[in-house]
Each structure stands twice: as C-alpha cells, then as structure tokens.
Amino acid sequence: MRSSIFIFLSLQSFVTASPIELSRLFRRAVTELNQEAFDEAQQPDNTATKAFSGTQIKTSDGRCLFVDELSGDFRANLTPIQVAECDSTNGQGWDIITAGKHNNVQGSMLVVSTLTNACFNFDPRRASGNQVILFSCGGRADGGGAVTDSQLFPFDGSSGPLSFSPNNDLQSCFTVKGDVVDVAACDAGNTDQLFTFDGAPASGSGSGNPAQTSAATTQTEAEATATFTATVTAQDPGQASATTASPPAATTDVAAGGIPNPTEAVPVSRAGGVLVPTAVAESQERDDTATRAFTSVSIQAPNGQCLFIDPTAGDFRENLIPVSLVACAGTPNEKFDIITAGKHNNAENSALIVSSLFYAKTEAEGETNNGQLVPFTGGTSLVFAPESERNATCIVSGDGRLDSAPCANDGSQVFTILT
C-alpha cells in the first residue's frame, strides 16, 4: 500500500452562461479551471457499478440539484451543491455509484457529478453553511484518495424519496435551504431533506455519460488555508493490496543549507505552475495560542533519516508538498513544532506536527481534524498513527519520503524527536 503525507491547502475552481440569474448563484470563485490539475483531481471510475446514470436529483418542490464548476477552486473542488429549476442550468446530471474504486461499502452510494466527476462530500470541519460541497472522490484534493465515509450515504436501491445522510455523521441530513443544499439534524417530517432520482436505473458497471470538461490553462487566487497533516488513504481490510500512486520525493540539497522558503514567485513542482507569495502568506497563520511541547526540532525516522520539507515541491500555495527523508543536517527544512493543545488540537494526549519553516493551520475555517492528530503523551518518541485510522494505518519510512503501512505495534515504526 502506498499513500502520501502532504502539506496540503484547501483552495476556494467553466460552464456556459446559465439561464438562472447570477444573483441567485454562489459567487464564482475562479474564472476558469486549471485543466491539468482538474484532470488529475477529477478522474472518472470507469469500473464503477451505477444504480443510476446521468440522473437528475429532484427536491421535494420539484427543482433539481446542480453544480457550477467555477464556484469552487481551480480543480473544481469545494463547489457548493445548488438548486435551480430543472433543465435550466448545466451540471444537473448525477451518477449514483454503489460499488467501485471509491465505494467498497455494501448498501451505500456515492453521488457523482457527471459535469465534474466530483463527489457529494460532508466536511463538518468547515464553517457552518459551507460543509456540504463537491470534492474529489476518495477525499484527497489531488484525486489520489480511495474511500472516505464523508462521501458515502446509506442506499436501499430505490429512486426515492430518500435522504442523504453521510456515513461520517448519520444524525445529519442534507437539507435544501433556499437555492443551496446545506445540512441539518435529520428530521423525518422535514420534506426539505427528501430527494428523488429522476430517470431509469443504469444497466450496470461502467455505464453513464462521460464527464463534460472545458479547456482551461490558468488559475486564480481565492480564499484558502494551509495544513500540515498526515493525509493517509485508508484501505479497506478486504482490499489491502490496493495501491495509490505517489508523486516523487522532493529533491533536496541539504549540503547547501536546505531550501529557503520563497518570498517571490518561483516555479513549483505540482499543479499551479508558479508560487503566489500573497496566497502563501494568507494561508499560513501561526497559532500563537498553541501549547508547544517542542519548538523547531528535527524528527528522525526509524531508518535514521530526518523529515524534510521542500517548499517548492507543492503547488502555488505550498500545498501538496510531500514529506521527504534526508540525511539529518539540521536545516530549517527539517524543523517542526509539536503542538499538544490549541486552535487545531483539542484532544488530550495527542500532537499536531507543524512545519516550522512555514506555519500551517487546518482547512478553511477548520478547527480540529483527527486525521492530523497522532498519539503523544510526552517524551521524545512518536508513532505516527493518525487518530482517524484507529491504529490500523501508520506513517512509516519509505523510499526517500514518508509513506503509509499497516501499524506494526512492535517498535519498528517509532520516530524520534531530536532535542
């Protein structure tokens, strides 16, 4: 199994003009998509089993759900689910997937836009009113994710009426509020929580309309925040042999004293082309209220190498940066803060690992995310076992970079804080 650890950034992403007045739509966040990044992030699963293909999803008052692919980020992530009169906008087609690369849970469904290939997603870490979004299926912004319960919903195979109650919070239901889909506590008497699939069921695996994509070559700035996090793609026990490709490790030059954090536009490795210093500055806010067990320390992996961050190995906001492993040299790229309490860590006996080279915080308007927390009760030893993985998946030494593997619980996966 191969997954990645990233410093990642959630960003705030071309459809033809809609008959619906723009005043009724969400503010468009970008003017066009970055086509290369979009193609990477929104990959169709051509092996999927579909209960419905290209269906409209109707609300209880007869309107339809749709997505405007320019209402999110440059990858068409973080787009809101909007509501309009049926057949009056683009983006009203949806696939209902019951099995495939991103759904290995029996009795559940993924809801996938045929316009963008992104999935219904519920993220309770985001600000109220902005938690129901479309996001890359599998839950990783770069499209490399496998299965996440934030995108799975119980499904009995019928066309409805039915509710959308995400597996990561079965007490909450998607709810129509005006011209957008939001979330509220499930209420059997609330018709705003009832939806119907329109059209005949799909015939089986791999059927459906291909996603409609639009050529785009540039990206624009929008709201964002950055996170240093262990983003591990959880694997179902029955699919332990599944793999997720990882980008190459960052090239480092520790002998030259490391790689400085850029303060002006420079080329970067991943989607985005050129670093945007103003976007970087906005996205990296230090939590001065945090309790730090250690400040600016190196972390040594079990193989004797140290964790290293190359700020030019990600995208234009220093997102999607892989954590490399290099010979320990004490460069600024190897320095991390160990945070035990603060704005983004409210769990006892846990730690948030933050790059000291450039500060980081959780996803836009986010607070605490247990996928970023690892067990810590003091001392100088750490096992990177993200709490979201329930001690099933651990972060380990890989080939020149951090990787993930099943937790061994035998002391072989212990990292050391060098003081």
Side-chain angles (χ1 to χ4, degrees):
M1 176 174 67
R2 185 164 177 81
S3 300
S4 301
I5 309 220
F6 289 107
I7 293 179
F8 76 91
L9 181 63
S10 124
L11 314 160
Q12 288 273 105
S13 67
F14 167 112
V15 295
T16 57
S18 162
I20 298 296
E21 300 220 0
L22 288 179
S23 62
R24 290 184 57 196
L25 298 177
F26 266 62
R27 176 182 61 84
R28 283 186 162 179
V30 296
T31 57
E32 58 185 353
L33 303 179
N34 180 304
Q35 193 65 37
E36 180 182 1
F38 172 79
D39 291 342
E40 177 189 42
Q42 316 296 358
Q43 301 177 32
D45 179 4
N46 295 321
T47 69
T49 300
K50 300 175 183 178
F52 293 86
S53 181
T55 184
Q56 290 180 319
I57 301 177
K58 292 188 174 181
T59 62
S60 61
D61 62 1
R63 295 182 297 161
C64 285
L65 307 189
F66 79 99
V67 61
D68 176 352
E69 64 184 331
L70 296 184
S71 61
D73 70 9
F74 69 104
R75 291 186 179 96
N77 279 330
L78 303 176
T79 52
I81 303 168
Q82 302 185 64
V83 186
E85 296 302 317
C86 296
D87 302 315
S88 65
T89 69
N90 293 315
Q92 292 189 7
W94 307 90
D95 288 345
I96 309 304
I97 293 179
T98 55
K101 180 180 179 182
H102 305 298
N103 183 0
N104 58 13
V105 179
Q106 189 172 2
S108 66
M109 63 178 167
L110 283 169
V111 184
V112 184
S113 168
T114 60
L115 179 68
T116 66
N117 285 323
C119 281
F120 273 23
N121 188 89
F122 174 60
D123 188 347
R125 300 168 298 168
R126 297 176 63 80
S128 177
N130 196 25
Q131 297 173 336
V132 175
I133 54 175
L134 290 175
F135 202 78
S136 296
C137 296
R140 266 183 41 183
D142 65 349
V147 177
T148 174
D149 59 5
S150 66
Q151 297 178 348
L152 296 177
F153 303 82
F155 180 53
D156 62 6
S158 74
S159 60
L162 48 77
S163 61
F164 296 124
S165 181
N167 281 4
N168 63 337
D169 185 356
L170 293 172
Q171 304 306 310
S172 295
C173 287
F174 284 13
T175 305
V176 175
K177 295 183 180 180
D179 296 325
V180 69
V181 177
D182 200 357
V183 69
C186 293
D187 179 356
N190 187 352
T191 59
D192 289 334
Q193 297 180 345
L194 296 179
F195 302 86
T196 303
F197 301 138
D198 185 46
S203 59
S205 174
S207 62
N209 298 328
Q212 305 168 15
T213 58
S214 304
T217 56
T218 62
Q219 61 189 51
T220 61
E221 296 183 30
E223 299 177 7
T225 56
T227 307
F228 177 83
T229 181
T231 302
V232 178
T233 302
Q235 301 288 339
D236 181 84
Q239 297 187 346
S241 61
T243 61
T244 302
S246 298
T251 300
T252 62
D253 184 9
V254 296
I259 301 173
N261 192 25
T263 57
E264 56 188 37
V266 296
V268 291
S269 300
R270 295 184 63 85
V274 176
L275 184 139
V276 180
T278 54
V280 173
E282 179 184 13
S283 69
Q284 298 160 10
E285 299 177 9
R286 177 186 171 93
D287 180 7
D288 290 320
T289 70
T291 300
R292 288 169 164 79
F294 296 93
T295 300
S296 194
V297 293
S298 297
I299 300 176
Q300 188 175 49
N303 67 357
Q305 294 180 301
C306 282
L307 279 58
F308 184 101
I309 303 298
D310 176 355
T312 68
D315 69 6
F316 74 109
R317 279 193 175 94
E318 295 181 344
N319 177 33
L320 297 174
I321 298 176
V323 180
S324 302
L325 292 171
V326 301
C328 298
T331 65
N333 307 76
E334 300 167 51
K335 300 303 182 181
F336 298 86
D337 291 358
I338 314 299
I339 293 178
T340 55
K343 184 184 297 185
H344 310 300
N345 182 2
N346 60 9
E348 292 185 6
N349 300 323
S350 66
L352 189 70
I353 315 300
V354 181
S355 170
S356 306
L357 184 66
F358 47 92
Y359 302 116
K361 66 176 183 175
T362 55
E363 192 172 350
E365 298 97 19
E367 295 182 354
T368 299
N369 171 12
N370 65 0
Q372 301 166 7
L373 300 178
V374 297
F376 181 69
T377 57
T380 57
S381 297
L382 280 170
V383 174
F384 289 151
E387 293 184 4
S388 60
E389 300 303 308
R390 299 177 177 87
N391 204 42
T393 303
C394 283
I395 298 161
V396 300
S397 303
D399 184 11
R401 61 177 298 150
L402 293 185
D403 208 334
S404 63
C407 293
N409 300 314
D410 60 2
S412 64
Q413 297 171 337
V414 175
F415 290 73
T416 303
I417 298 169
L418 302 181
T419 59

